[in-house]
Short mmCIF file of all heavy atoms in Angstrom, two decimals:
data_model
loop_
_atom_site.label_atom_id
_atom_site.label_comp_id
_atom_site.label_asym_id
_atom_site.label_seq_id
_atom_site.Cartn_x
_atom_site.Cartn_y
_atom_site.Cartn_z
N LEU A 30 70.16 125.41 82.96
CA LEU A 30 69.79 124.54 84.06
C LEU A 30 71.03 124.11 84.83
O LEU A 30 72.08 123.86 84.24
CB LEU A 30 69.10 123.27 83.54
CG LEU A 30 67.75 123.39 82.85
CD1 LEU A 30 67.29 122.03 82.38
CD2 LEU A 30 66.73 124.03 83.71
N GLY A 31 70.88 123.96 86.13
CA GLY A 31 71.96 123.41 86.94
C GLY A 31 72.00 121.90 86.80
O GLY A 31 71.09 121.26 86.27
N ILE A 32 73.05 121.30 87.33
CA ILE A 32 73.20 119.85 87.20
C ILE A 32 72.10 119.08 87.93
O ILE A 32 71.60 118.07 87.43
CB ILE A 32 74.61 119.38 87.61
CG1 ILE A 32 74.82 117.95 87.13
CG2 ILE A 32 74.81 119.48 89.10
CD1 ILE A 32 76.25 117.59 86.92
N GLY A 33 71.68 119.57 89.09
CA GLY A 33 70.60 118.90 89.82
C GLY A 33 69.31 118.90 89.03
O GLY A 33 68.62 117.88 88.94
N ARG A 34 69.01 120.02 88.43
CA ARG A 34 67.79 120.13 87.62
C ARG A 34 67.88 119.25 86.37
O ARG A 34 66.92 118.59 85.99
CB ARG A 34 67.57 121.59 87.24
CG ARG A 34 66.35 121.87 86.41
CD ARG A 34 65.10 121.86 87.29
NE ARG A 34 63.91 122.09 86.52
CZ ARG A 34 63.11 123.13 86.66
NH1 ARG A 34 63.36 124.04 87.57
NH2 ARG A 34 62.05 123.23 85.94
N MET A 35 69.05 119.20 85.74
CA MET A 35 69.23 118.35 84.56
C MET A 35 69.05 116.88 84.91
O MET A 35 68.37 116.14 84.19
CB MET A 35 70.59 118.59 83.93
CG MET A 35 70.68 119.91 83.19
SD MET A 35 72.18 120.12 82.20
CE MET A 35 73.46 120.02 83.43
N LEU A 36 69.64 116.44 86.03
CA LEU A 36 69.49 115.05 86.45
C LEU A 36 68.03 114.73 86.76
O LEU A 36 67.52 113.67 86.38
CB LEU A 36 70.36 114.77 87.68
CG LEU A 36 71.85 114.73 87.43
CD1 LEU A 36 72.60 114.73 88.76
CD2 LEU A 36 72.21 113.51 86.62
N PHE A 37 67.36 115.66 87.43
CA PHE A 37 65.95 115.47 87.76
C PHE A 37 65.13 115.33 86.48
O PHE A 37 64.29 114.43 86.37
CB PHE A 37 65.44 116.62 88.61
CG PHE A 37 63.99 116.48 88.96
CD1 PHE A 37 63.60 115.73 90.05
CD2 PHE A 37 63.01 117.08 88.18
CE1 PHE A 37 62.25 115.57 90.36
CE2 PHE A 37 61.67 116.92 88.48
CZ PHE A 37 61.29 116.17 89.57
N GLU A 38 65.36 116.21 85.51
CA GLU A 38 64.59 116.18 84.26
C GLU A 38 64.83 114.88 83.49
O GLU A 38 63.90 114.32 82.90
CB GLU A 38 64.91 117.39 83.40
CG GLU A 38 64.38 118.70 83.97
CD GLU A 38 62.87 118.73 84.15
OE1 GLU A 38 62.14 118.14 83.33
OE2 GLU A 38 62.42 119.35 85.13
N LYS A 39 66.05 114.37 83.50
CA LYS A 39 66.35 113.10 82.83
C LYS A 39 65.61 111.95 83.51
O LYS A 39 65.07 111.06 82.85
CB LYS A 39 67.85 112.83 82.81
CG LYS A 39 68.59 113.66 81.81
CD LYS A 39 68.26 113.20 80.41
CE LYS A 39 69.14 113.91 79.40
NZ LYS A 39 68.80 113.55 78.03
N ALA A 40 65.62 111.94 84.83
CA ALA A 40 64.92 110.89 85.57
C ALA A 40 63.41 110.97 85.30
O ALA A 40 62.76 109.95 85.07
CB ALA A 40 65.20 111.02 87.07
N LYS A 41 62.87 112.18 85.31
CA LYS A 41 61.44 112.37 85.03
C LYS A 41 61.09 111.90 83.62
O LYS A 41 60.09 111.23 83.41
CB LYS A 41 61.07 113.84 85.22
CG LYS A 41 59.60 114.11 85.12
CD LYS A 41 59.28 115.53 85.56
CE LYS A 41 59.21 116.43 84.37
NZ LYS A 41 58.72 117.78 84.70
N GLN A 42 61.95 112.21 82.65
CA GLN A 42 61.73 111.78 81.28
C GLN A 42 61.73 110.25 81.19
O GLN A 42 60.87 109.66 80.53
CB GLN A 42 62.81 112.36 80.37
CG GLN A 42 62.70 111.93 78.93
CD GLN A 42 63.85 112.47 78.08
OE1 GLN A 42 64.69 113.23 78.55
NE2 GLN A 42 63.88 112.06 76.84
N ALA A 43 62.69 109.61 81.85
CA ALA A 43 62.76 108.14 81.82
C ALA A 43 61.51 107.53 82.45
O ALA A 43 60.95 106.55 81.91
CB ALA A 43 64.01 107.67 82.55
N LEU A 44 61.05 108.07 83.55
CA LEU A 44 59.85 107.55 84.21
C LEU A 44 58.62 107.75 83.33
O LEU A 44 57.75 106.87 83.25
CB LEU A 44 59.66 108.21 85.58
CG LEU A 44 60.70 107.81 86.63
CD1 LEU A 44 60.59 108.71 87.85
CD2 LEU A 44 60.55 106.35 87.01
N THR A 45 58.55 108.90 82.66
CA THR A 45 57.44 109.16 81.75
C THR A 45 57.43 108.14 80.62
O THR A 45 56.37 107.58 80.27
CB THR A 45 57.54 110.59 81.19
OG1 THR A 45 57.49 111.52 82.27
CG2 THR A 45 56.41 110.89 80.23
N GLU A 46 58.59 107.86 80.05
CA GLU A 46 58.69 106.89 78.96
C GLU A 46 58.31 105.49 79.41
O GLU A 46 57.83 104.69 78.61
CB GLU A 46 60.11 106.91 78.38
CG GLU A 46 60.41 108.18 77.62
CD GLU A 46 61.86 108.33 77.22
OE1 GLU A 46 62.67 107.40 77.48
OE2 GLU A 46 62.20 109.38 76.64
N LEU A 47 58.48 105.20 80.68
CA LEU A 47 58.09 103.91 81.23
C LEU A 47 56.62 103.85 81.61
O LEU A 47 56.13 102.83 82.07
CB LEU A 47 58.96 103.57 82.46
CG LEU A 47 60.42 103.26 82.16
CD1 LEU A 47 61.22 103.20 83.46
CD2 LEU A 47 60.53 101.94 81.39
N GLY A 48 55.92 104.97 81.45
CA GLY A 48 54.48 105.00 81.70
C GLY A 48 54.06 105.48 83.07
O GLY A 48 52.88 105.43 83.41
N TYR A 49 55.00 105.94 83.88
CA TYR A 49 54.65 106.44 85.20
C TYR A 49 53.91 107.77 85.09
O TYR A 49 54.23 108.59 84.24
CB TYR A 49 55.89 106.63 86.07
CG TYR A 49 56.49 105.33 86.55
CD1 TYR A 49 57.39 104.62 85.75
CD2 TYR A 49 56.16 104.81 87.79
CE1 TYR A 49 57.93 103.42 86.18
CE2 TYR A 49 56.70 103.61 88.23
CZ TYR A 49 57.58 102.93 87.42
OH TYR A 49 58.11 101.74 87.84
N LYS A 50 52.94 107.95 85.94
CA LYS A 50 52.17 109.20 86.00
C LYS A 50 52.55 110.05 87.20
O LYS A 50 52.20 111.22 87.27
CB LYS A 50 50.66 108.90 86.06
CG LYS A 50 50.16 108.05 84.93
CD LYS A 50 50.20 108.80 83.63
CE LYS A 50 49.61 107.93 82.54
NZ LYS A 50 50.14 108.24 81.24
N GLN A 51 53.22 109.43 88.15
CA GLN A 51 53.67 110.16 89.34
C GLN A 51 54.83 109.41 89.97
O GLN A 51 55.05 108.24 89.70
CB GLN A 51 52.55 110.32 90.35
CG GLN A 51 52.11 109.03 90.99
CD GLN A 51 51.00 109.23 92.00
OE1 GLN A 51 50.20 110.13 91.88
NE2 GLN A 51 50.97 108.39 93.00
N PHE A 52 55.58 110.12 90.79
CA PHE A 52 56.63 109.50 91.58
C PHE A 52 56.85 110.37 92.80
O PHE A 52 56.34 111.48 92.90
CB PHE A 52 57.93 109.31 90.78
CG PHE A 52 58.57 110.59 90.30
CD1 PHE A 52 59.59 111.18 91.01
CD2 PHE A 52 58.14 111.18 89.12
CE1 PHE A 52 60.18 112.35 90.56
CE2 PHE A 52 58.73 112.34 88.66
CZ PHE A 52 59.75 112.93 89.38
N GLN A 53 57.58 109.84 93.75
CA GLN A 53 57.85 110.60 94.96
C GLN A 53 59.28 110.39 95.41
O GLN A 53 59.93 109.41 95.04
CB GLN A 53 56.87 110.24 96.07
CG GLN A 53 56.99 108.83 96.57
CD GLN A 53 55.88 108.48 97.53
OE1 GLN A 53 54.77 108.97 97.43
NE2 GLN A 53 56.17 107.62 98.49
N THR A 54 59.74 111.34 96.17
CA THR A 54 61.07 111.26 96.77
C THR A 54 60.98 111.78 98.19
O THR A 54 60.01 112.46 98.55
CB THR A 54 62.11 112.04 95.95
OG1 THR A 54 63.41 111.73 96.44
CG2 THR A 54 61.88 113.54 96.01
N TYR A 55 61.96 111.44 98.99
CA TYR A 55 62.02 111.92 100.36
C TYR A 55 63.33 112.68 100.57
O TYR A 55 64.35 112.34 100.01
CB TYR A 55 61.95 110.76 101.36
CG TYR A 55 60.54 110.24 101.54
CD1 TYR A 55 59.99 109.36 100.62
CD2 TYR A 55 59.77 110.66 102.61
CE1 TYR A 55 58.70 108.90 100.77
CE2 TYR A 55 58.48 110.19 102.77
CZ TYR A 55 57.95 109.32 101.84
OH TYR A 55 56.67 108.87 102.00
N ALA A 56 63.24 113.71 101.40
CA ALA A 56 64.42 114.49 101.78
C ALA A 56 64.40 114.64 103.30
O ALA A 56 63.33 114.70 103.91
CB ALA A 56 64.40 115.87 101.12
N LEU A 57 65.57 114.69 103.89
CA LEU A 57 65.62 114.93 105.33
C LEU A 57 65.01 116.29 105.63
O LEU A 57 65.27 117.28 104.92
CB LEU A 57 67.07 114.89 105.82
CG LEU A 57 67.75 113.52 105.75
CD1 LEU A 57 69.21 113.65 106.14
CD2 LEU A 57 67.05 112.51 106.63
N LYS A 58 64.18 116.34 106.65
CA LYS A 58 63.45 117.56 106.99
C LYS A 58 64.39 118.74 107.23
O LYS A 58 64.08 119.87 106.86
CB LYS A 58 62.57 117.32 108.21
CG LYS A 58 61.69 118.47 108.58
CD LYS A 58 60.79 118.14 109.76
CE LYS A 58 59.92 119.33 110.11
NZ LYS A 58 59.02 119.01 111.21
N ASN A 59 65.54 118.49 107.84
CA ASN A 59 66.45 119.59 108.13
C ASN A 59 67.38 119.91 106.97
O ASN A 59 68.22 120.80 107.07
CB ASN A 59 67.25 119.32 109.41
CG ASN A 59 68.18 118.13 109.29
OD1 ASN A 59 68.12 117.39 108.32
ND2 ASN A 59 69.03 117.94 110.28
N ASN A 60 67.22 119.23 105.83
CA ASN A 60 67.98 119.55 104.63
C ASN A 60 67.16 120.56 103.82
O ASN A 60 66.57 120.25 102.79
CB ASN A 60 68.27 118.29 103.81
CG ASN A 60 69.20 118.55 102.64
OD1 ASN A 60 69.47 119.69 102.29
ND2 ASN A 60 69.67 117.48 102.04
N ILE A 61 67.14 121.78 104.33
CA ILE A 61 66.30 122.83 103.74
C ILE A 61 66.61 123.07 102.26
O ILE A 61 65.69 123.22 101.47
CB ILE A 61 66.43 124.14 104.56
CG1 ILE A 61 66.02 123.88 106.03
CG2 ILE A 61 65.59 125.25 103.96
CD1 ILE A 61 64.65 123.30 106.24
N PRO A 62 67.89 123.09 101.84
CA PRO A 62 68.14 123.29 100.41
C PRO A 62 67.49 122.21 99.53
O PRO A 62 66.95 122.52 98.47
CB PRO A 62 69.66 123.25 100.30
CG PRO A 62 70.14 123.71 101.64
CD PRO A 62 69.15 123.12 102.61
N ALA A 63 67.52 120.96 99.96
CA ALA A 63 66.89 119.88 99.18
C ALA A 63 65.38 120.03 99.15
O ALA A 63 64.76 119.91 98.09
CB ALA A 63 67.28 118.52 99.74
N VAL A 64 64.78 120.30 100.30
CA VAL A 64 63.32 120.48 100.35
C VAL A 64 62.91 121.65 99.47
O VAL A 64 61.95 121.57 98.69
CB VAL A 64 62.84 120.65 101.81
CG1 VAL A 64 61.35 120.98 101.84
CG2 VAL A 64 63.12 119.40 102.62
N ASN A 65 63.65 122.76 99.54
CA ASN A 65 63.34 123.93 98.72
C ASN A 65 63.52 123.62 97.23
O ASN A 65 62.72 124.07 96.40
CB ASN A 65 64.19 125.12 99.13
CG ASN A 65 63.78 125.69 100.47
OD1 ASN A 65 62.70 125.42 100.97
ND2 ASN A 65 64.65 126.48 101.05
N PHE A 66 64.57 122.88 96.89
CA PHE A 66 64.80 122.51 95.49
C PHE A 66 63.63 121.71 94.95
O PHE A 66 63.07 122.05 93.90
CB PHE A 66 66.10 121.70 95.36
CG PHE A 66 66.31 121.09 94.01
CD1 PHE A 66 66.72 121.86 92.94
CD2 PHE A 66 66.09 119.73 93.80
CE1 PHE A 66 66.91 121.30 91.68
CE2 PHE A 66 66.28 119.15 92.56
CZ PHE A 66 66.69 119.95 91.49
N TYR A 67 63.25 120.65 95.64
CA TYR A 67 62.16 119.81 95.16
C TYR A 67 60.84 120.58 95.11
O TYR A 67 60.05 120.40 94.19
CB TYR A 67 62.02 118.56 96.02
CG TYR A 67 63.13 117.56 95.81
CD1 TYR A 67 63.87 117.08 96.88
CD2 TYR A 67 63.47 117.10 94.54
CE1 TYR A 67 64.90 116.16 96.70
CE2 TYR A 67 64.49 116.19 94.34
CZ TYR A 67 65.20 115.73 95.42
OH TYR A 67 66.21 114.83 95.23
N SER A 68 60.62 121.46 96.07
CA SER A 68 59.40 122.27 96.05
C SER A 68 59.41 123.23 94.87
O SER A 68 58.39 123.42 94.20
CB SER A 68 59.26 123.05 97.36
OG SER A 68 59.07 122.17 98.44
N ALA A 69 60.55 123.82 94.58
CA ALA A 69 60.66 124.80 93.50
C ALA A 69 60.44 124.18 92.12
O ALA A 69 60.00 124.87 91.20
CB ALA A 69 62.03 125.48 93.53
N ILE A 70 60.71 122.88 91.99
CA ILE A 70 60.52 122.24 90.68
C ILE A 70 59.22 121.45 90.62
O ILE A 70 59.05 120.60 89.75
CB ILE A 70 61.74 121.38 90.29
CG1 ILE A 70 62.01 120.27 91.28
CG2 ILE A 70 62.96 122.25 90.08
CD1 ILE A 70 63.12 119.32 90.85
N GLY A 71 58.31 121.75 91.53
CA GLY A 71 56.97 121.19 91.44
C GLY A 71 56.60 120.12 92.44
O GLY A 71 55.49 119.59 92.39
N GLY A 72 57.50 119.78 93.34
CA GLY A 72 57.18 118.77 94.35
C GLY A 72 56.12 119.26 95.32
O GLY A 72 56.15 120.41 95.74
N ILE A 73 55.19 118.40 95.63
CA ILE A 73 54.12 118.72 96.58
C ILE A 73 54.34 117.88 97.83
O ILE A 73 54.43 116.64 97.75
CB ILE A 73 52.74 118.40 95.97
CG1 ILE A 73 52.54 119.24 94.70
CG2 ILE A 73 51.63 118.63 96.98
CD1 ILE A 73 51.39 118.77 93.85
N LYS A 74 54.42 118.54 98.97
CA LYS A 74 54.65 117.82 100.22
C LYS A 74 53.43 116.96 100.52
O LYS A 74 52.31 117.44 100.59
CB LYS A 74 54.91 118.81 101.35
CG LYS A 74 56.21 119.55 101.18
CD LYS A 74 56.42 120.59 102.27
CE LYS A 74 57.65 121.41 101.96
NZ LYS A 74 57.81 122.54 102.88
N ILE A 75 53.69 115.65 100.69
CA ILE A 75 52.59 114.70 100.88
C ILE A 75 52.69 113.91 102.17
O ILE A 75 51.72 113.28 102.58
CB ILE A 75 52.47 113.72 99.70
CG1 ILE A 75 53.78 112.94 99.54
CG2 ILE A 75 52.06 114.42 98.43
CD1 ILE A 75 53.67 111.71 98.67
N ALA A 76 53.87 113.88 102.78
CA ALA A 76 54.02 113.00 103.94
C ALA A 76 55.24 113.40 104.76
O ALA A 76 56.12 114.10 104.28
CB ALA A 76 54.18 111.55 103.48
N THR A 77 55.24 112.93 105.97
CA THR A 77 56.44 112.97 106.81
C THR A 77 56.61 111.57 107.38
O THR A 77 55.64 110.82 107.52
CB THR A 77 56.34 113.99 107.95
OG1 THR A 77 55.22 113.68 108.76
CG2 THR A 77 56.23 115.41 107.43
N ARG A 78 57.83 111.21 107.66
CA ARG A 78 58.08 109.90 108.26
C ARG A 78 59.40 109.94 109.01
O ARG A 78 60.22 110.84 108.81
CB ARG A 78 58.09 108.81 107.20
CG ARG A 78 59.28 108.86 106.26
CD ARG A 78 59.23 107.76 105.23
NE ARG A 78 60.42 107.76 104.38
CZ ARG A 78 60.58 107.00 103.33
NH1 ARG A 78 59.62 106.16 102.96
NH2 ARG A 78 61.69 107.05 102.62
N ASP A 79 59.58 108.94 109.85
CA ASP A 79 60.85 108.76 110.53
C ASP A 79 61.65 107.71 109.77
O ASP A 79 61.11 106.73 109.27
CB ASP A 79 60.63 108.27 111.97
CG ASP A 79 60.01 109.34 112.86
OD1 ASP A 79 60.14 110.53 112.55
OD2 ASP A 79 59.38 108.96 113.86
N TRP A 80 62.94 107.93 109.68
CA TRP A 80 63.85 106.99 109.03
C TRP A 80 64.97 106.71 110.01
O TRP A 80 65.59 107.64 110.54
CB TRP A 80 64.38 107.59 107.74
CG TRP A 80 65.43 106.77 107.06
CD1 TRP A 80 65.28 105.51 106.55
CD2 TRP A 80 66.78 107.14 106.79
NE1 TRP A 80 66.45 105.08 105.98
CE2 TRP A 80 67.40 106.08 106.12
CE3 TRP A 80 67.53 108.28 107.06
CZ2 TRP A 80 68.73 106.10 105.71
CZ3 TRP A 80 68.85 108.31 106.65
CH2 TRP A 80 69.43 107.23 105.98
N THR A 81 65.21 105.45 110.29
CA THR A 81 66.26 105.07 111.24
C THR A 81 67.41 104.43 110.48
O THR A 81 67.22 103.54 109.66
CB THR A 81 65.70 104.10 112.29
OG1 THR A 81 64.61 104.74 112.96
CG2 THR A 81 66.76 103.73 113.31
N HIS A 82 68.61 104.91 110.80
CA HIS A 82 69.83 104.40 110.18
C HIS A 82 70.93 104.41 111.22
O HIS A 82 71.16 105.43 111.88
CB HIS A 82 70.22 105.26 108.98
CG HIS A 82 71.52 104.85 108.36
ND1 HIS A 82 71.65 103.68 107.63
CD2 HIS A 82 72.74 105.43 108.37
CE1 HIS A 82 72.90 103.58 107.23
NE2 HIS A 82 73.59 104.62 107.66
N ALA A 83 71.57 103.29 111.40
CA ALA A 83 72.70 103.15 112.33
C ALA A 83 72.32 103.63 113.74
O ALA A 83 73.10 104.28 114.42
CB ALA A 83 73.92 103.90 111.82
N GLY A 84 71.10 103.31 114.13
CA GLY A 84 70.66 103.64 115.48
C GLY A 84 70.18 105.07 115.68
O GLY A 84 69.75 105.44 116.77
N GLU A 85 70.24 105.89 114.64
CA GLU A 85 69.76 107.28 114.71
C GLU A 85 68.46 107.40 113.93
O GLU A 85 68.30 106.79 112.87
CB GLU A 85 70.79 108.24 114.11
CG GLU A 85 72.11 108.28 114.85
CD GLU A 85 72.02 108.97 116.20
OE1 GLU A 85 71.18 109.88 116.37
OE2 GLU A 85 72.77 108.58 117.11
N THR A 86 67.52 108.19 114.44
CA THR A 86 66.25 108.41 113.77
C THR A 86 66.22 109.83 113.22
O THR A 86 66.56 110.79 113.91
CB THR A 86 65.07 108.18 114.73
OG1 THR A 86 65.13 106.82 115.18
CG2 THR A 86 63.74 108.41 114.03
N TYR A 87 65.80 109.93 111.96
CA TYR A 87 65.75 111.21 111.25
C TYR A 87 64.33 111.46 110.75
O TYR A 87 63.62 110.52 110.41
CB TYR A 87 66.70 111.18 110.05
CG TYR A 87 68.11 110.83 110.41
CD1 TYR A 87 68.55 109.51 110.38
CD2 TYR A 87 69.01 111.81 110.79
CE1 TYR A 87 69.86 109.18 110.71
CE2 TYR A 87 70.33 111.49 111.13
CZ TYR A 87 70.74 110.17 111.08
OH TYR A 87 72.02 109.86 111.42
N LYS A 88 63.95 112.71 110.67
CA LYS A 88 62.66 113.11 110.10
C LYS A 88 62.84 113.36 108.61
O LYS A 88 63.80 113.99 108.19
CB LYS A 88 62.13 114.39 110.75
CG LYS A 88 61.88 114.28 112.24
CD LYS A 88 60.63 113.49 112.50
CE LYS A 88 60.32 113.48 114.00
NZ LYS A 88 59.26 112.56 114.32
N GLU A 89 61.90 112.84 107.82
CA GLU A 89 61.92 113.05 106.38
C GLU A 89 60.61 113.67 105.91
O GLU A 89 59.57 113.47 106.53
CB GLU A 89 62.11 111.73 105.64
CG GLU A 89 63.45 111.09 105.82
CD GLU A 89 63.60 109.85 104.97
OE1 GLU A 89 62.67 109.03 104.93
OE2 GLU A 89 64.65 109.72 104.36
N ILE A 90 60.70 114.37 104.80
CA ILE A 90 59.52 114.92 104.13
C ILE A 90 59.40 114.25 102.78
O ILE A 90 60.37 114.19 102.02
CB ILE A 90 59.64 116.45 103.96
CG1 ILE A 90 59.67 117.14 105.33
CG2 ILE A 90 58.50 116.99 103.09
CD1 ILE A 90 59.88 118.63 105.27
N GLY A 91 58.21 113.74 102.47
CA GLY A 91 57.94 113.14 101.18
C GLY A 91 57.35 114.17 100.24
O GLY A 91 56.48 114.94 100.63
N LEU A 92 57.85 114.19 99.01
CA LEU A 92 57.35 115.11 97.99
C LEU A 92 56.92 114.30 96.77
O LEU A 92 57.65 113.42 96.32
CB LEU A 92 58.43 116.12 97.59
CG LEU A 92 58.88 117.01 98.74
CD1 LEU A 92 60.24 116.60 99.23
CD2 LEU A 92 58.84 118.45 98.34
N ALA A 93 55.75 114.61 96.24
CA ALA A 93 55.21 113.91 95.08
C ALA A 93 55.33 114.80 93.85
O ALA A 93 55.22 116.02 93.93
CB ALA A 93 53.75 113.54 95.30
N PHE A 94 55.52 114.13 92.72
CA PHE A 94 55.57 114.81 91.42
C PHE A 94 54.58 114.11 90.52
O PHE A 94 54.58 112.88 90.42
CB PHE A 94 56.97 114.72 90.82
CG PHE A 94 58.00 115.45 91.63
CD1 PHE A 94 58.65 114.82 92.67
CD2 PHE A 94 58.30 116.77 91.36
CE1 PHE A 94 59.60 115.48 93.43
CE2 PHE A 94 59.26 117.45 92.13
CZ PHE A 94 59.90 116.80 93.16
N TYR A 95 53.74 114.88 89.87
CA TYR A 95 52.73 114.33 88.94
C TYR A 95 53.15 114.71 87.53
O TYR A 95 53.37 115.88 87.23
CB TYR A 95 51.36 114.88 89.30
CG TYR A 95 50.96 114.51 90.71
CD1 TYR A 95 51.22 115.36 91.78
CD2 TYR A 95 50.38 113.26 90.97
CE1 TYR A 95 50.90 114.98 93.07
CE2 TYR A 95 50.07 112.89 92.27
CZ TYR A 95 50.32 113.76 93.31
OH TYR A 95 50.00 113.39 94.60
N ILE A 96 53.32 113.68 86.68
CA ILE A 96 53.86 113.92 85.35
C ILE A 96 52.89 113.46 84.28
O ILE A 96 51.95 112.81 84.53
CB ILE A 96 55.23 113.23 85.16
CG1 ILE A 96 55.17 111.76 85.56
CG2 ILE A 96 56.28 113.96 85.97
CD1 ILE A 96 56.48 111.01 85.37
#
């Protein structure tokens, strides 16, 4: 496993131990490697939204994970 996958699996394990059945994360829409990574490990695209930071607005994609 790569480091990103290992970190993800540790976070998922911790959430499972806390009783969570699902969680979600957001990635910038134009960050194709991140969107592809989350999709490849089971993320399901559930939403899009705008995020504004320092006067700039960015498009994000929400991905859900069911555990």
Side-chain angles (χ1 to χ4, degrees):
L30 294 178
I32 194 155
R34 180 78 182 243
M35 286 190 299
L36 289 169
F37 179 85
E38 290 300 326
K39 285 290 187 183
K41 187 170 96 172
Q42 178 184 356
L44 291 169
T45 300
E46 290 171 2
L47 290 170
Y49 287 85
K50 304 291 183 208
Q51 68 179 30
F52 63 96
Q53 65 188 32
T54 190
Y55 282 81
L57 293 174
K58 185 177 180 178
N59 65 351
N60 187 348
I61 302 304
V64 174
N65 288 344
F66 170 76
Y67 288 127
S68 295
I70 60 175
I73 300 166
K74 293 177 186 173
I75 58 165
T77 58
R78 69 180 184 187
D79 291 337
W80 175 62
T81 302
H82 176 71
E85 296 289 330
T86 300
Y87 305 92
K88 298 285 185 190
E89 292 185 315
I90 295 176
L92 298 105
F94 296 87
Y95 300 93
I96 51 179

